[in-house]
Amino acid sequence: MTTATVSGSRRVLRRMRSIMAASLPVQSRLDELVRVIAGEMVAEVCSIYVMRAGEVLELFATEGLNPDAVHQTRLRVGEGLVGTVAMNALPLNLPDAQAHPKFAYRPETGEEIYHSLLGVPILRGGRVRGVLVIQNRTQRLYSEEEVETLEVIAVVLAELIHGGDLIDRSEQVPAQGNAILPVRLTGISINEGIAIGEAVLHVPRVSIPQMFADDPASEHARLAHAVARMHRAIDDLFASSELSAGGEHREVLETYRSIAEDKGWMRRIAEAIDGGLTAEGAVQKVLDDTRTRMSAVSDPYLRERLYDWEDLANRLLQHLSGENRTAASEELPNDVVLIARNMGPAELLDYEPRRLRALVLEEGTPTSHVAIVARALDIPVVGQVESLLNRIDPNDPVIVDGSNALVYVRAGDDIHQMVVENIRLRDQRRARYRAMRSLPAVSRDGATVSLNLNAGLLMDLHNLEAFGAEGVGLYRTEVPFMLRSELPDVANQTDLYRGILDQAGGRPVKFRTLDVGGDKRLPYMRANVEENPAMGWRAIRMGLDRPSLLRQQLRALIAAAQGRELHVMFPMVTEVAEFAAARALIDRELAHAGARGQTPPSRVHVGAMLEVPGLIWQLDMLLPQLDFLSIGSNDLFQFLFASDRGNPLVAGRYDPLSPAVLAVLRMLVERCGKAGVPVSLCGEMAGRPLEAMTLVGLGLRELSMPPSMLGPVKAMVRSLDAGALRAYLDTLTEVPDRSLRERLRSFARDHGVVVEDFR
Ligand code: PEP
Ligand code: MG
């Protein structure tokens, strides 16, 4: 949502609130609401249709249509445009409503003079409660901001309808089966892919039969038996063949196992038993204490660990009671789409992996333990879906589109068919990209582009082969650090980096040193509260101020590379002196390794990430010291535009395909070219075909991106005449537009460049 939308919707919401609080008859309040909404949306018509029993949408209030039609005009779900909005539970935005095949003319309304129409569903609890419509005389397509504002207004109206003043609550209960309408939920993409299945709700139910006990000795004995059973069951669970291969999921599961064996946890439970509680009461008390401690922690990574504790406590309670009280113990459908608030990694494995098709979480982040295990199982995952558990019922049909972070619940036949068709097309595209895997990324006029992938998990490395990448252009070393419960020592890190280089099989891997601090916290490190963490004490700043951590990492990288080439780059370099200091640490560690008689890497390439604009003015001093430069466009743009990349209010406000950004990138490519320093780009932009096309046109010959985008970007490169694009870009340097996107899209279309912007 843009700032304009937010302030626009705030104003209208304020006015709506005061109308709703006024002591007027309910019809007068509704009449006033449509008048205000029409005024705020600059619409000639605003109408509210409310869903009545029997799936009928009744016009309850209107500004602009014939007032006599109120409570007279009724449409069935699926009938007319209003009925279509209700049927699909999706907005309809039409410049010429009457040209739509579903337009149903109702003479009593007098709406023939209005052309454009925007209708949004009024949703509550996953069900359509009505439809809100605005109309205008002129033919116009409503902007995204207007759609969003109307959707926000619909949320308030949903509460009004639900309150029971408009229609009796009993009318709001859906009739058997068919009145439960489809909804489309959005979240964040945690793992890609599309799957279809039946909703299974994971809601652990734990009841404690008795809190207090007279005989602590027997409670201790019960606890000991339950703990032993639990350990055995966890071992069996983790032995499942689906997860036997190595990778971070094994580490996640080992961390879980070590928490299960945590002596402190056992001691606290034992103390609670000594204090007079039953074993169950003691487990619950210790969990409650942990929750209280964790609730004071603002760090998202640390808070993730709470799910491991909850999972273990529930598991132990199940072993104490002898009952399994989740859906995992019930008969499961063949295609399970698991729905949960959040869960620990082992809880996911309680559901037979061969039946699991997808996972949807109300909370959940890409680095949560359950997400890592779900990725190892290769199922799509969508996280952070608001009010998820209130909007899905058990056995609802669900389609999960992990790539686009969408979840369709109770989708109608049309959406279902559309999704199935999308899956078919996606499979076709994938097959096409797979066939291109071993073809070179060379443009039509002979420019070779090195395509690499971004990685952070050992399991990402198999994508090198699967997608035909040349190497890893960005290995985010902080990811494995975030997954562990304690700081990995040098030996541990050496194993990890060695494994990565082994898996890469001679392809170059650019290891970025720890980019932690600021908002990327490690669970085991004390963090300062910072007002602007992205611009705070992070990355190389922290590495240089606390050099032991950075030196340990460099030592491990050097030890892992023995006899092989090593690429290391430093994040967030702001001034050349920082780079020189970091490079000196590498030299020192190389000298130490030599003194210990260790085989050194065959060659060490040391690079900097260009993410802070200030460094651009030190390129003359920096470039001679560099073996390569990697442009971190995600951070570079947020600092160039002073626009927080993680803040949805501004994240999409400025276009990377703007004259300013292209000027900066063009200059960087030229300067690096003159200095003979290889330059690559590893931000999100490299993985978007239109943006990647522009980068190649600007002269970049090395890109690094998420694996799934390698195919689309290679297809783009192979269909591009890089020289022609360069000549075209040279004509755009003086253009005053805020974005060159449309012009570049037209170039692609006119020159037959394949720009498929999906996975
Ligand atoms: C970047 O900033 O562009 C980058 C690749 O690093 P990260 O996204 O990890 O900050
Ligand atoms: Mg960055």
Side-chain angles (χ1 to χ4, degrees):
M1 241 194 231
T2 66
T3 319
T5 324
V6 170
S7 60
S9 52
R10 260 202 216 122
R11 196 180 47 236
V12 57
L13 292 183
R14 209 168 33 237
R15 293 187 64 187
M16 287 174 71
R17 248 196 314 274
S18 68
I19 297 168
M20 279 155 71
S23 54
L24 290 169
V26 64
Q27 186 64 47
S28 314
R29 273 188 282 160
L30 268 189
D31 294 343
E32 189 61 13
L33 281 174
V34 285
R35 204 181 57 73
V36 164
I37 299 168
E40 289 285 343
M41 302 294 298
V42 199
E44 277 114 23
V45 174
C46 173
S47 313
I48 298 173
Y49 293 81
V50 177
M51 183 79 80
R52 306 216 58 160
E55 297 223 276
V56 173
L57 291 149
E58 180 175 311
L59 180 66
F60 260 61
T62 184
E63 167 74 12
L65 297 186
N66 181 359
D68 293 342
V70 171
H71 298 301
Q72 301 303 318
T73 295
R74 294 209 172 100
L75 294 152
R76 277 174 288 107
V77 169
E79 182 186 357
L81 298 176
V82 170
T84 304
V85 172
M87 184 179 74
N88 297 334
L90 287 173
L92 206 54
N93 183 355
L94 302 170
D96 188 6
Q98 292 168 28
H100 193 282
K102 282 278 193 171
F103 180 76
Y105 179 54
R106 287 303 175 87
E108 74 273 14
T109 61
E111 64 181 328
E112 68 273 24
I113 53 174
Y114 302 104
H115 280 106
S116 45
L117 175 145
L118 171 60
V120 300
I122 301 174
L123 298 162
R124 196 176 190 286
R127 300 197 169 86
V128 177
R129 307 304 173 112
V131 174
L132 173 63
V133 178
I134 57 170
Q135 289 171 268
N136 281 77
R137 278 203 176 83
T138 49
Q139 283 202 10
R140 55 175 297 231
L141 189 68
Y142 296 90
S143 69
E144 228 168 84
E145 282 81 5
E146 287 170 314
V147 178
E148 284 175 5
T149 304
L150 208 63
E151 283 178 329
V152 173
I153 294 171
V155 173
V156 179
L157 293 176
E159 291 309 309
L160 185 72
I161 296 171
H162 182 73
D165 283 354
L166 294 184
I167 51 169
D168 196 76
R169 283 285 192 104
S170 62
E171 269 200 63
Q172 298 180 34
V173 178
Q176 268 298 327
N178 60 359
I180 303 175
L181 291 162
V183 286
R184 192 184 74 136
L185 310 175
T186 56
I188 61 160
S189 167
I190 293 186
N191 201 29
E192 294 180 358
I194 298 187
I196 300 179
E198 251 178 73
V200 171
L201 270 51
H202 173 79
V203 189
R205 293 175 295 275
V206 181
S207 62
I208 310 283
Q210 209 181 329
M211 277 303 276
F212 301 101
D214 300 327
D215 179 8
S218 85
E219 295 304 311
H220 281 299
R222 286 183 62 230
L223 177 69
H225 277 119
V227 168
R229 274 200 305 274
M230 179 179 80
H231 286 167
R232 269 200 307 279
I234 290 175
D235 288 343
D236 291 348
L237 193 63
F238 291 179
S240 84
S241 58
E242 283 87 353
L243 295 163
S244 55
E248 283 76 12
H249 63 280
R250 295 269 22 138
E251 259 159 38
V252 160
L253 298 178
E254 289 316 323
T255 301
Y256 179 88
R257 200 196 307 262
S258 70
I259 299 176
E261 288 162 6
D262 188 85
K263 295 213 167 51
W265 184 41
M266 284 301 129
R267 196 193 58 243
R268 288 194 297 278
I269 297 174
E271 283 167 3
I273 292 177
D274 289 339
L277 295 181
T278 57
E280 287 92 339
V283 173
Q284 187 62 45
K285 177 184 180 302
V286 172
L287 176 62
D288 290 342
D289 292 347
T290 311
R291 274 203 198 110
T292 313
R293 263 191 302 122
M294 296 285 221
S295 66
V297 176
S298 60
D299 188 315
Y301 300 112
L302 263 185
R303 286 173 74 110
E304 285 287 349
R305 299 300 160 265
L306 180 59
Y307 303 117
D308 291 7
W309 286 110
E310 290 195 347
D311 175 347
L312 274 165
N314 288 338
R315 198 168 294 269
L316 187 50
L317 287 171
Q318 282 163 17
H319 283 284
L320 279 166
S321 67
E323 297 172 38
N324 185 341
R325 280 175 282 192
T326 67
S329 58
E330 291 157 17
E331 200 172 322
L332 292 173
N334 281 332
D335 302 307
V336 173
V337 172
L338 198 55
I339 308 291
R341 184 173 64 84
N342 209 333
M343 51 167 55
E347 278 175 301
L348 179 65
L349 298 180
D350 286 337
Y351 295 83
E352 267 180 90
R354 68 182 177 85
R355 290 178 194 262
L356 274 179
R357 298 288 168 267
L359 172 67
V360 186
L361 300 169
E362 200 164 295
E363 300 172 0
T365 61
T367 49
S368 60
H369 283 176
V370 69
I372 305 283
V373 174
R375 271 190 225 138
L377 295 175
D378 198 20
I379 54 172
V381 185
V382 176
Q384 293 176 28
V385 180
E386 231 174 275
S387 312
L388 174 68
L389 289 165
N390 298 333
R391 294 153 93 181
I392 298 191
D393 290 325
N395 302 105
D396 273 344
V398 183
I399 302 169
V400 180
D401 175 353
S403 311
N404 294 305
L406 291 174
V407 181
Y408 299 94
V409 187
R410 305 178 286 269
D413 282 351
D414 45 352
I415 293 184
H416 191 273
Q417 270 167 18
M418 200 175 77
V419 174
V420 169
E421 178 61 10
N422 273 341
I423 295 178
R424 198 181 60 78
L425 290 174
R426 189 200 57 180
D427 289 349
Q428 263 182 13
R429 271 197 308 275
R430 285 202 170 160
R432 222 171 55 232
Y433 297 142
R434 249 198 318 275
M436 273 181 12
R437 206 177 50 157
S438 44
L439 296 179
V442 178
S443 71
R444 277 181 19 224
D445 58 336
T448 301
V449 183
S450 165
L451 301 183
N452 299 272
L453 56 86
N454 294 346
L457 298 171
L458 186 61
M459 67 171 95
D460 295 336
L461 270 284
H462 77 261
N463 291 326
L464 277 173
E465 189 61 44
F467 291 90
E470 276 195 27
V472 178
L474 166 66
Y475 184 87
R476 293 180 165 105
T477 59
E478 63 277 8
V479 176
F481 277 67
M482 284 174 191
L483 298 180
R484 292 165 196 242
S485 53
E486 54 191 20
L487 186 74
D489 60 15
V490 176
N492 254 312
Q493 288 189 56
T494 307
D495 284 350
L496 174 71
Y497 304 140
R498 187 182 295 121
I500 291 162
L501 288 170
D502 288 349
Q503 283 237 16
R507 294 178 172 97
V509 179
K510 287 187 175 142
F511 288 98
R512 172 175 76 186
T513 59
L514 277 182
D515 187 0
V516 293
D519 53 349
K520 286 188 198 164
R521 310 249 173 99
L522 296 180
Y524 34 82
M525 267 167 65
R526 192 183 289 280
N528 302 318
V529 177
E530 298 184 44
E531 203 157 320
N532 290 306
M535 296 196 284
W537 194 57
R538 58 175 278 206
I540 189 75
R541 301 169 183 184
M542 191 171 151
L544 292 175
D545 293 355
R546 297 264 187 284
S548 63
L549 193 60
L550 181 55
R551 281 182 50 200
Q552 284 183 16
Q553 185 172 35
L554 295 172
R555 198 172 308 156
L557 284 166
I558 288 166
Q562 295 204 359
R564 300 184 272 199
E565 293 204 13
L566 175 64
H567 294 76
V568 181
M569 61 185 181
F570 298 108
M572 287 287 290
V573 177
T574 307
E575 51 187 17
V576 71
E578 284 177 346
F579 179 77
R583 184 161 197 149
L585 290 181
I586 296 196
D587 292 339
R588 205 159 124 192
E589 288 307 322
L590 278 169
H592 282 182
R596 281 197 299 272
Q598 202 177 293
T599 313
S602 61
R603 187 163 167 210
V604 183
H605 306 258
V606 188
M609 287 189 74
L610 192 105
E611 302 184 279
V612 182
L615 192 61
I616 294 172
W617 282 269
Q618 290 209 301
L619 283 177
D620 282 342
M621 275 85 72
L622 179 71
L623 290 175
Q625 300 189 34
L626 288 185
D627 296 319
F628 63 92
L629 183 77
S630 182
I631 303 172
S633 51
N634 306 337
D635 275 317
L636 181 61
F637 297 167
Q638 79 163 339
F639 298 128
L640 271 175
F641 290 134
S643 164
D644 183 350
R645 68 192 255 194
N647 177 348
L649 290 177
V650 293
R653 188 178 175 92
Y654 305 101
D655 192 345
L657 293 182
S658 64
V661 169
L662 299 201
V664 171
L665 294 175
R666 181 196 312 266
M667 185 269 285
L668 285 172
V669 173
E670 274 169 21
R671 298 284 294 275
C672 287
K674 277 201 192 110
V677 174
V679 55
S680 60
L681 188 141
C682 62
E684 297 302 314
M685 164 180 211
R688 301 202 191 102
L690 190 69
E691 280 84 338
M693 176 191 89
T694 311
L695 295 174
V696 174
L698 290 172
L700 270 149
R701 292 292 176 266
E702 191 178 333
L703 303 174
S704 193
M705 64 202 74
S708 57
M709 295 318 291
L710 268 153
V713 171
K714 190 185 274 187
M716 178 281 293
V717 171
R718 291 178 57 83
S719 58
L720 174 69
D721 180 339
L725 176 56
R726 163 119 227 161
Y728 178 60
L729 286 169
D730 285 345
T731 68
L732 299 181
T733 51
E734 307 282 300
V735 170
D737 302 6
R738 51 190 307 255
S739 164
L740 301 174
R741 184 170 296 275
E742 282 319 311
R743 292 172 194 258
L744 288 160
R745 221 194 290 279
S746 304
F747 175 92
R749 214 178 17 247
D750 297 347
H751 292 76
V753 188
V754 179
V755 175
E756 292 189 314
D757 214 345
F758 35 67
R759 289 139 209 250

